[in-house]
Amino acid sequence: THCITVILLTFQTNILTELKNWKLNLIQHHKLQVRQEKEKNATHVKQLQSEIENLKELLHTYEISISTKDEVVITNLTQALEKQKKRVELMRSFTLWRIQHVKAKQKEYAIRVADTHFQTALKKKVWAAWRSVSEKRWKDNVAKACQLRAEDVCVQLTNDYEAKIAELTTTLEQTKAEILRLHSEREQYEDTMRKAFMRGVCALNLEAMTMFQSK
C-alpha cells in the first residue's frame, strides 16, 4: 500500500509538472504570436501612414493644378468680356453720333426750307407791290404768272421736303433697328460666354472628381 501511494504521488507530481510545463509553453507561444502580430500591425500601420502622406502630397499637387487652370480660364473669359464690352461701347457711341448727325441734317434742312419759304413769300410781296404800281394791262398777266410760279415753287418745295423727310425717317428707323440688333447680339454673346464659363467650370469639377475617384 505504501508503494502504491508513493507511485500515485510521483505520478501526480509528474502530471502536475507536465501540465505546468505545457501551460508555460502555451503562454510563451501565445506571447510570441501576440508580439509577431503587433510587429505586423506596426509595419502595416507604417505602410498606411506612408500611403496617406503620398496621397496628401498628390492631393495638394492636384489642388494647385486645378487652381491654376481655374485662374487661367477666368482670366481669359474676363479679357474676352472686356474686349466685347469695349466693342459694344464703341458701336453705341458711333450709333449715337449717327443719330445726332441725322438730327442735325434734319434741323439744317428744315431751316433751309423755312428760309426758302420766307424768300418765296417775300418775293410774292415784292411782286404784289410791283404789280400794284405797274400798268393795268399787265396787272392780270403778271399776277397769274407770279401765282403759277409761286404755286410751282411751293409744290416743288413741298415734294422735296416730304421726300427728304421720308428718307431721313427711313434712315432713323434703320439706325434704331441697328441699335436693337447690337443690343441683342450683346445679350446673346454675354449668355454664350456665361454658358461657356459654366461648362468650363463643370468640366474641371468633373475631371477633378474623376481623378479623385480613380485614385
Side-chain angles (χ1 to χ4, degrees), residues 35-172:
R35 185 169 63 253
Q36 289 177 351
E37 289 297 327
K38 286 184 178 179
E39 290 177 356
K40 289 181 180 180
N41 188 27
T43 303
H44 185 62
V45 169
K46 287 182 180 180
Q47 291 178 354
L48 291 177
Q49 288 178 348
S50 177
E51 290 180 0
I52 290 173
E53 291 298 327
N54 292 333
L55 289 175
K56 285 182 178 180
E57 292 179 359
L58 183 60
L59 177 61
H60 182 64
T61 302
Y62 284 153
E63 288 177 349
I64 293 175
S65 177
I66 291 172
S67 176
T68 303
K69 288 181 179 179
D70 289 342
E71 290 178 358
V72 171
V73 172
I74 292 173
T75 301
N76 293 334
L77 290 175
T78 303
Q79 292 177 353
L81 288 174
E82 288 295 330
K83 290 181 180 180
Q84 182 64 17
K85 183 178 179 182
K86 290 181 180 179
R87 181 176 177 274
V88 172
E89 289 296 331
L90 289 174
M91 292 298 296
R92 179 176 176 274
S93 300
F94 177 72
T95 304
L96 291 176
W97 175 82
R98 286 180 61 183
I99 292 174
Q100 293 177 355
H101 184 66
V102 170
K103 288 182 178 179
K105 283 188 174 181
Q106 288 179 343
K107 185 177 180 181
E108 181 182 356
Y109 183 76
I111 292 173
R112 188 165 62 250
V113 170
D115 184 66
T116 303
H117 182 70
F118 173 76
Q119 294 293 332
T120 302
L122 183 61
K123 289 179 180 179
K124 286 182 180 181
K125 292 181 179 180
V126 172
W127 276 105
W130 177 81
R131 186 181 55 192
S132 64
V133 296
S134 63
E135 295 181 355
K136 179 65 177 175
R137 61 182 179 178
W138 294 103
K139 185 176 182 179
D140 295 335
N141 294 331
V142 172
K144 290 180 180 180
C146 290
Q147 184 176 1
L148 292 174
R149 180 57 179 170
E151 289 177 354
D152 292 338
V153 172
C154 290
V155 170
Q156 185 64 34
L157 290 174
T158 302
N159 293 333
D160 293 341
Y161 182 70
E162 289 178 352
K164 191 64 177 179
I165 289 176
E167 180 182 356
L168 294 176
T169 301
T170 302
T171 304
L172 182 60

